[in-house]
Amino acid sequence: MITLSNIEKVYQTKSIETVALQHVNLRVPKGEFLSIMGPSGCGKSTLLNIMGLLDVPSQGVVEIDGQAITSYKDKELAHIRNEKIGFVFQSYHLVNDLSVLDNVELPLLYRSSVSASDRTKLAKTALEKVGLSARTKHFPAQLSGGQRQRVAIARALIGQPQIILADEPTGNLDSVMGEEIMNILLDLNRQDGTTIVMVTHDENMAQKTERLVRFFDGQQVSDAKVFANNLQQ
Ligand code: ADP
Ligand code: ADP
């Protein structure tokens, strides 16, 4: 579903060069739930941004769903992102002066093929999926952190993405709410077959996924099946 071949990313700021990623070769098969761990600054966000076509590698090839990304024209990238990828961030990235329903509808505003009434229907279905049907008219400030993250997941789901990229989705949540979010992601993966790549600092969360890749200093240092997960199934 996602293939990274020989990816390198160098940030150039004035005279300072930072190598954020090097020699990254990673294949994420369709339907996998992969977690990425590693210390702060090791390149996890950069990796996720490159997988999500939000950032351009300095070298190497990204393939999404069998399609090599050869052009980095904004419009084409936006199209692939819109069609295939949903993003979930640690800090939710909701629009505070829009209602829950309007926040979830946002990604479809740019799709001329979807009518306003279909947009609302799809948003309600996505909110049902995350258990937030009773909060459609609320505003983000009226919700708990866990509920806000569920809105963000519903927003990621509305375009029916094949891939969800989640950057520390439980990082701002207490353990109970973190578990809830994790269970939603696990359901999406197991029931809908959504491919998920999740960056996390939480070893317990990583142990619930299928595979764990660890990074250090911009390089993969380990790649292993998660056995706890296999035993549960
Ligand atoms: P992580 O997500 O693991 O904390 P990042 O991917 O954010 O790591 O960063 C990897 C390295 O690249 C760090 O040294 C960071 O300072 C650097 N970096 C990240 N983004 C930029 C940027 N836009 N400009 C310059 N350096 C960056
Ligand atoms: P998080 O760890 O929560 O993912 P980061 O601190 O890694 O957040 O990065 C937040 C944003 O700032 C990222 O989009 C990254 O590209 C950018 N960034 C990180 N380090 C640098 C840096 N040294 N210079 C410029 N931008 C950076």
Side-chain angles (χ1 to χ4, degrees), residues 9-13 16-21 36-49 55 167-168 199 201 215 217-218:
K9 178 69 184 181
V10 181
Y11 288 109
Q12 184 86 46
T13 330
I16 303 167
E17 242 186 27
T18 308
V19 180
L21 292 173
I36 308 279
M37 295 192 80
S40 191
C42 73
K44 304 181 298 295
S45 295
T46 302
L47 181 83
L48 220 57
N49 289 344
D55 203 350
D167 199 347
E168 297 200 42
V199 166
H201 275 119
F215 273 78
D217 261 0

